[in-house]
Amino acid sequence: MMKPLLLTAALLPFLSACSPAPEAELKVANRSVQSASLARDGSHAVIGSTYQGGSYWQITPAERLYDWNHSSDTTRLLLHSAISSDGGWAITADHQTLVLWNTATGESVAYWRISSEIRAMALGRFGNVALLGLDDGRAVLYDVRRGGTFGTFTHNTPVNAVALSDDLSLALTGSDDNAAQLWDTQSGKPLQQRNFDDPIQQVALSPDGKRALVGARYDRVELFDTATGKLNWQLPLGHERIIRGISLSAARFSDDGAYLLTGRPDGRVQLWDIDAQQELYHWQMPKLSAWQASPTSVLDVSFTDNTKLYRAVSGNGYIYTLSY
């Protein structure tokens, strides 16, 4: 993916104060969305709706391609989902079952039941391996084609967030024990640990695995170098927002790892230049009606092939295309 165009420092304060309307919007559910995943290039999305079950969408041109549910006789709420970085596969999960889907045909490829409740998921580049964060304090590398595990990474409490590098060499996990661990997936050994004052809410890895993000809900959000453990940057989210729990609900690195796109529970999406350590732009997701107290949470974000367009899924049932 090409790098976003850099803005001059003189323009940044003005642009950061702006909150333009979305370039386009796509309604994907009539009521609340509980889970959502965007493809890396923002072209497709998996939606888990409270009342309409699971679905797979093409965003431009807009089309609901498939209805995905774990049971043929009833609509099931999909609590988690992920799309492989090559776009060919998707995985969905409820509390203890997961299904691997072929995104070209819409057909299910594998169905498995897990012994512990699933809290978080990441899918490997070609849909062979998933990293599952579990309620029993384990994160497991799971063979989603044949079943079974390749490795287990242990915390003391439930694992809330997980991420994988594209080459599957690194796994990042975050737990209720206030710790995030970076793991070597081949040896199963921890490479680094970062400790916080509150449970970990969000983790992310750049595609090449060189940069990592860890965020705790009532604490801070850190970017660090995975090779050295050196802190690159602490995101300036504002103390008042952090103590109210408005940290991050979504995060994604650009393909080259130079930029970061984040979403928050208060409906804000922010674009960051990591090396320059500055916010390039932000957008505020709209309220659907005047009586709505605040915008709903951002569930996922993505870059696109157009360096001026970005996408975000909101819990209000819309996918927004954002521009600057």
Side-chain angles (χ1 to χ4, degrees):
M1 191 195 86
M2 296 176 62
K3 293 183 179 179
L5 296 176
L6 291 178
L7 304 174
T8 64
L11 289 177
L12 284 172
F14 173 75
L15 291 176
S16 293
C18 293
S19 185
E23 180 82 8
E25 60 184 40
L26 170 61
K27 188 176 183 179
V28 292
N30 290 329
R31 297 192 186 183
S32 64
V33 173
Q34 295 299 308
S35 65
S37 296
L38 286 161
R40 177 176 288 183
D41 63 0
S43 61
H44 294 79
V46 179
I47 302 297
S49 169
T50 304
Y51 299 97
Q52 295 166 290
S55 56
Y56 184 67
W57 289 79
Q58 175 181 278
I59 297 175
T60 304
E63 183 179 0
R64 183 175 179 142
L65 298 176
Y66 314 119
D67 291 322
W68 284 347
N69 285 290
H70 290 196
S71 176
S72 59
D73 58 350
T74 185
T75 297
R76 300 278 291 274
L77 176 60
L78 303 184
L79 299 175
H80 311 282
S81 63
I83 301 174
S84 61
S85 59
D86 72 334
W89 308 91
I91 192 169
T92 58
D94 54 25
H95 289 289
Q96 287 184 269
T97 64
L98 58 89
V99 178
L100 179 69
W101 307 88
N102 183 316
T103 61
T105 65
E107 296 179 352
S108 60
V109 177
Y111 176 96
W112 303 102
R113 183 170 179 82
I114 309 301
S115 60
S116 181
E117 181 179 337
I118 300 167
R119 288 234 179 170
M121 266 189 336
L123 185 60
R125 186 172 186 180
F126 301 112
N128 294 315
V129 178
L131 180 61
L132 307 178
L134 302 178
D135 189 64
D136 63 9
R138 294 178 300 148
V140 297
L141 275 177
Y142 197 80
D143 184 338
V144 290
R145 301 297 179 95
R146 294 174 292 185
T149 60
F150 292 116
T152 301
F153 316 112
T154 305
H155 284 262
N156 297 320
T157 56
V159 177
N160 301 319
V162 296
L164 278 171
S165 60
D166 268 3
D167 64 3
L168 304 182
S169 66
L170 296 176
L172 183 61
T173 59
S175 172
D176 273 352
D177 61 10
N178 301 354
Q181 294 266 19
L182 182 69
W183 306 85
D184 181 323
T185 59
Q186 294 298 313
S187 67
K189 294 181 178 179
L191 300 174
Q192 296 176 31
Q193 177 171 316
R194 305 189 82 83
N195 298 308
F196 290 72
D197 293 332
D198 289 284
I200 306 303
Q201 182 183 41
Q202 191 70 222
V203 300
L205 281 170
S206 61
D208 61 9
K210 293 182 179 180
R211 282 177 163 165
L213 174 146
V214 177
R217 183 172 185 182
Y218 296 103
D219 199 351
R220 61 198 184 276
V221 177
E222 292 185 348
L223 298 174
F224 66 95
D225 184 287
T226 59
T228 65
K230 179 182 177 181
L231 178 67
N232 295 138
W233 191 22
Q234 183 175 317
L235 287 189
L237 297 179
H239 178 69
E240 181 182 345
R241 293 188 179 95
I242 289 175
I243 63 175
R244 288 189 287 126
I246 303 177
S247 185
L248 297 184
S249 54
R252 191 187 297 261
F253 288 93
S254 62
D255 285 353
D256 60 5
Y259 299 89
L260 177 70
L261 199 61
T262 61
R264 298 195 326 212
D266 61 355
R268 176 163 290 200
V269 176
Q270 292 168 278
L271 175 64
W272 310 90
D273 182 328
I274 299 172
D275 291 328
Q277 296 192 1
Q278 61 187 11
E279 180 191 78
L280 293 179
Y281 211 57
H282 73 250
W283 303 264
Q284 185 66 49
M285 300 302 96
K287 298 180 183 180
L288 294 186
S289 60
W291 55 263
Q292 185 179 348
S294 62
T296 51
S297 181
V298 177
L299 301 180
D300 200 11
V301 291
S302 74
F303 295 83
T304 73
D305 291 336
N306 185 329
T307 58
K308 287 183 174 289
L309 295 180
Y310 307 86
R311 292 210 163 98
V313 186
S314 173
N316 63 16
Y318 282 82
I319 298 174
Y320 295 107
T321 298
L322 313 171
S323 66
Y324 80 83

